[in-house]
Amino acid sequence: MTEYDDPIVGEIKAAVPFPVDVECEGYPDVIFNVIFEKHPDQLMVEQSVSALEHYMYSYNKKHIFKPIHYISDIDSLPEASSVFSVCIHMDFGNANPKALIGAVKAIAETNLPIYRVILE
């Protein structure tokens, strides 16, 4: 999924107040690399994961036949690329690719000091 071949990318970028780089070549498996303006403390990490978990549960209630498969739990987060970021793995499974828009919005609604999100 890149800017040049997917109209969802524009919707993602327009939906949130911070920059989003969409590089998720392995969709439906997406790594949310959430980069903060400062070193994230445990509460910020928990809020980020919780926002995506709540979004997944809400989405799956409405889309029981094509759900999001899972999100990495707090104890099994992938290694972050810097001390300012947290990486969260989300397997969108059979969900509509537009579910990615809602997931990015869910992260934005935390009002955490997010500098940028990279979707890998």
Side-chain angles (χ1 to χ4, degrees):
M1 188 181 312
T2 65
E3 269 182 85
Y4 305 106
D5 62 9
D6 198 317
I8 294 173
V9 173
E11 288 185 57
I12 291 170
K13 290 182 177 208
V16 294
F18 45 78
V20 180
D21 298 330
V22 183
E23 304 169 356
C24 41
E25 299 289 327
Y27 187 88
D29 286 303
V30 177
I31 301 290
F32 287 73
N33 187 355
V34 182
I35 303 166
F36 296 98
E37 295 171 359
K38 61 182 185 174
H39 186 280
D41 59 23
Q42 187 63 26
L43 182 59
M44 291 167 68
V45 173
E46 290 172 4
Q47 286 176 318
S48 300
V49 173
S50 179
L52 289 176
E53 285 175 338
H54 284 99
Y55 173 73
M56 180 185 74
Y57 297 136
S58 174
Y59 181 90
N60 286 351
K61 281 183 184 179
K62 297 175 187 170
H63 302 90
I64 58 172
F65 297 110
K66 292 192 176 194
I68 296 170
H69 286 177
Y70 69 86
I71 179 172
S72 54
D73 64 20
I74 199 80
D75 296 323
S76 64
L77 294 177
E79 190 171 323
S81 59
S82 82
V83 296
F84 291 100
S85 66
V86 60
C87 290
I88 305 164
H89 173 225
M90 196 165 188
D91 180 352
F92 283 86
N94 298 324
N96 185 314
K98 287 192 172 196
L100 191 53
I101 300 166
V104 175
K105 284 181 181 179
I107 288 281
E109 290 170 0
T110 63
N111 293 317
L112 291 168
I114 297 172
Y115 173 74
R116 165 180 245 105
V117 170
I118 301 171
L119 303 175
E120 303 172 19

